[in-house]
Amino acid sequence: MAQHFLLSAKARTLSLAKVMRLSDEDALATFKAIRWANNDGQPFCPKCGCVAIYSYASRPIFKCKGCEAQFSVTSGTIFASRKLAIRDILAAIAIFVNGAKGISALQLSRDLDVQYKTAFVLAHKIREAMAAEVQAEEMSGEVEIDGAYFGGYVKPANRKGQRRDRRLLENRTGKRRVVVIMRERNGTTLPSVHKAEGDAVQMVARTVKPGSTIYADEASHWDALHARFLTKRINHSESYAEGETSTNMAESFFSRLRRAEIGTHHHISGRYLHSYANEMAWRENNRRVSNGEQFLMAVNASLVHPVSRQWKGYWQRRTIAR
């Protein structure tokens, strides 16, 4: 029997211990090498692109000779205005990518010895950077689509006569949402979040190229796709697959997201469900990539992503709102 990829030596190319042993200078050099890789690791101005810069001896910042703007290695990135040391950010990303089923903010706060609020925002910034890599303009070929409910909770009553069927619409809370997944066979995974599965029909029609083959269950709202695509439907009440007709790859994504919800986070707010769905799509797309490569991909995605409008100053805005 072939060895599972995650159990092989090829899957383990990242050592968290080595990351934690980095000096401040080594961590800064690592960030510079990744952010400015297209300039041999040498910094250039993020505003005007000028390569002629000064380096300050007293602080790890730079000044552009052209526009005279001052900047650091994280200026203009998702980690702009950071307070954590660069080594701690690298360690956070290493811990994050090593969590096959995700990592909770509580565990991250303990591992880094930071406040829960700090870990919560840091984890969501990494998810936002990952989401930018997940988004695809078009999908083609053989595409599986399916939907599943996540988030929210209806507490079951103690007595049998008082229990409610949590599958019915009137017994769902407004926090519960449907994650609709589009997944190319042997390709990319693209999730979206909606109030109902049928709300995703138009998005599927826009995203999947005409002439593609769509595999779906027999839910009536997918009937609208017949005119645009070759559709193959599976009746899940009868079987999970009929020959090549199945949505098993879409279901495997839901399995990963469900395990993250139940086993790691325990509760996912509908407000942030899209962030967790995109994180799991990124993990699913890169499941055959070593953790060292995943680490470099996540760091690079964070450094090319602009300042987060959602997460920068998140807790200050929350405090004002109260």
Side-chain angles (χ1 to χ4, degrees):
M1 183 177 178
Q3 186 182 38
H4 193 283
F5 174 74
L6 294 180
L7 300 178
S8 67
K10 293 181 179 179
R12 303 186 305 274
T13 60
L14 172 66
S15 170
L16 178 60
K18 290 182 180 178
V19 175
M20 295 303 295
R21 291 193 195 107
L22 290 175
S23 64
D24 292 339
E25 293 76 15
D26 292 336
L28 179 62
T30 300
F31 251 47
K32 288 171 59 179
I34 296 175
R35 179 174 186 184
W36 293 301
N38 56 353
N39 194 37
D40 296 326
Q42 298 303 311
F44 55 85
C45 181
K47 290 188 176 180
C48 67
C50 181
V51 296
I53 57 106
Y54 298 103
S55 296
Y56 283 76
S58 58
R59 292 183 294 164
I61 62 173
F62 312 98
K63 183 176 181 179
C64 175
K65 291 183 179 180
C67 65
E68 298 187 346
Q70 293 184 353
F71 62 95
S72 71
V73 72
T74 56
S75 294
T77 73
I78 204 165
F79 296 130
S81 304
R82 63 180 172 85
K83 294 182 180 178
L84 281 179
I86 290 178
R87 180 180 59 249
D88 292 342
I89 294 176
L90 289 173
I93 296 175
I95 294 169
F96 196 87
V97 300
N98 272 338
K101 299 297 187 295
I103 187 81
S104 69
L106 180 59
Q107 181 176 340
L108 190 62
S109 71
R110 292 180 175 182
D111 289 341
L112 297 178
D113 190 23
V114 297
Q115 290 187 21
Y116 174 83
K117 292 181 177 181
T118 301
F120 178 83
V121 169
L122 180 57
H124 271 292
K125 284 182 176 180
I126 299 172
R127 291 187 185 100
E128 183 176 316
M130 288 178 168
E133 291 199 329
V134 168
Q135 299 303 318
E137 293 183 0
E138 281 190 337
M139 306 188 83
S140 60
E142 296 182 308
V143 181
E144 297 183 10
I145 58 174
D146 203 359
Y149 278 96
F150 292 88
Y153 181 68
V154 177
K155 185 176 181 180
N158 177 40
R159 297 186 179 277
K160 182 178 179 180
Q162 298 174 340
R163 292 174 187 168
R164 297 176 291 170
D165 187 344
R166 288 176 284 178
R167 297 171 297 179
L168 300 178
L169 183 62
E170 61 267 22
N171 292 330
R172 297 176 190 160
T173 67
K175 297 179 181 179
R176 196 160 178 80
R177 297 287 187 270
V178 175
V179 175
V180 174
I181 191 69
M182 291 180 287
R183 186 168 188 179
E184 294 174 331
R185 291 187 172 176
N186 301 317
T188 58
T189 304
L190 180 63
S192 59
V193 178
H194 307 271
K195 289 186 177 181
E197 191 177 70
D199 296 342
V201 173
Q202 292 184 355
M203 193 202 71
V204 172
R206 290 194 308 267
T207 307
V208 182
K209 292 180 65 175
S212 301
T213 301
I214 285 185
Y215 298 88
D217 57 28
E218 292 196 336
S220 59
H221 43 259
W222 301 131
D223 294 345
L225 300 174
H226 288 323
R228 189 178 176 86
F229 308 100
L230 172 62
T231 57
K232 296 185 178 181
R233 313 288 287 275
I234 181 71
N235 186 349
H236 282 160
S237 63
E238 298 293 334
S239 63
Y240 287 107
E242 291 292 342
E244 65 175 8
T245 304
S246 72
T247 58
N248 289 343
M249 294 190 70
E251 294 288 352
S252 71
F253 168 81
F254 292 139
S255 177
R256 182 186 288 270
L257 183 56
R258 189 75 68 191
R259 281 166 172 75
E261 179 185 33
I262 296 173
T264 301
H265 304 291
H266 303 298
H267 170 75
I268 295 178
S269 170
R271 181 181 180 184
Y272 305 121
L273 180 56
H274 66 282
S275 297
Y276 294 95
N278 283 316
E279 174 199 347
M280 291 304 148
W282 187 91
R283 294 184 186 277
E284 195 71 16
N285 290 340
N286 299 294
R287 65 192 184 281
R288 298 295 181 183
V289 177
S290 69
N291 60 349
E293 291 176 275
Q294 289 181 358
F295 171 74
L296 293 176
M297 291 167 61
V299 175
N300 181 69
S302 301
L303 291 179
V304 300
H305 196 282
V307 176
S308 174
R309 298 306 173 190
Q310 180 180 10
W311 296 107
K312 183 180 179 181
Y314 172 81
W315 290 111
Q316 289 87 341
R317 294 196 302 274
R318 295 274 293 180
T319 302
I320 293 173
R322 294 192 187 100

